[in-house]
Amino acid sequence: MMLIPCPECGPRNENEFHYGGQAHVAYPADGGASLTDEEWAQYLFFRDNTKGPFAERWCHSAGCRQWFNAVRDTVTYEFLAVYRAGQPRPHLHSRDGVSA
C-alpha cells in the first residue's frame, strides 16, 4: 500500500485517491473546435510514458475531494513532490544530481 501525501490532509492510503492522468496537459484554446480528428485524438489519447519522474494529477476522493498534482517516480513509485493544481511543476534534482 502506498501512502500518498495530500497537500490538504497529509499522508493517506492510496485507496482514498483516484488517479487523473498526466498533469499539465493544456486544454485546446477553442475547446477543440478547430482541431482535426487526428489532432483531437492526439489530445485525448496520447500522453507521455516516461520512465522516472512523471507529473500526474490525483484527486483525494475519499477525503478533501481536492485535485492536486504530484511528481512520482514511475520506477520506484516514490512521490517526489506534491503541489496544488494550478501551480507550476517544481524543479527537482534526483539523487544522482540530474535534473528531473
Side-chain angles (χ1 to χ4, degrees), residues 19 22-24 48-56 58 70-81 83 89-100:
Y19 178 74
Q22 182 176 350
H24 308 292
D48 294 339
N49 187 17
T50 60
K51 183 177 181 181
F54 185 64
E56 305 170 325
W58 288 86
V71 177
R72 182 178 63 89
D73 189 311
T74 60
V75 176
T76 65
Y77 295 98
E78 177 185 7
F79 281 79
L80 305 173
Y83 52 105
R89 178 181 172 165
H91 184 74
L92 303 172
H93 290 283
S94 65
R95 292 184 181 111
D96 60 3
V98 178
S99 293

Side-chain angles (χ1 to χ4, degrees), residues 11-31:
R12 299 290 192 267
N13 287 330
E14 68 180 295
N15 59 357
E16 293 188 15
F17 297 86
H18 281 101
Y19 178 74
Q22 182 176 350
H24 308 292
V25 176
Y27 191 77
D30 63 355

Side-chain angles (χ1 to χ4, degrees), residues 26-44:
Y27 191 77
D30 63 355
S34 65
L35 298 180
T36 66
D37 287 347
E38 185 177 334
E39 291 169 330
W40 185 245
Q42 187 77 24
Y43 166 73
L44 288 176

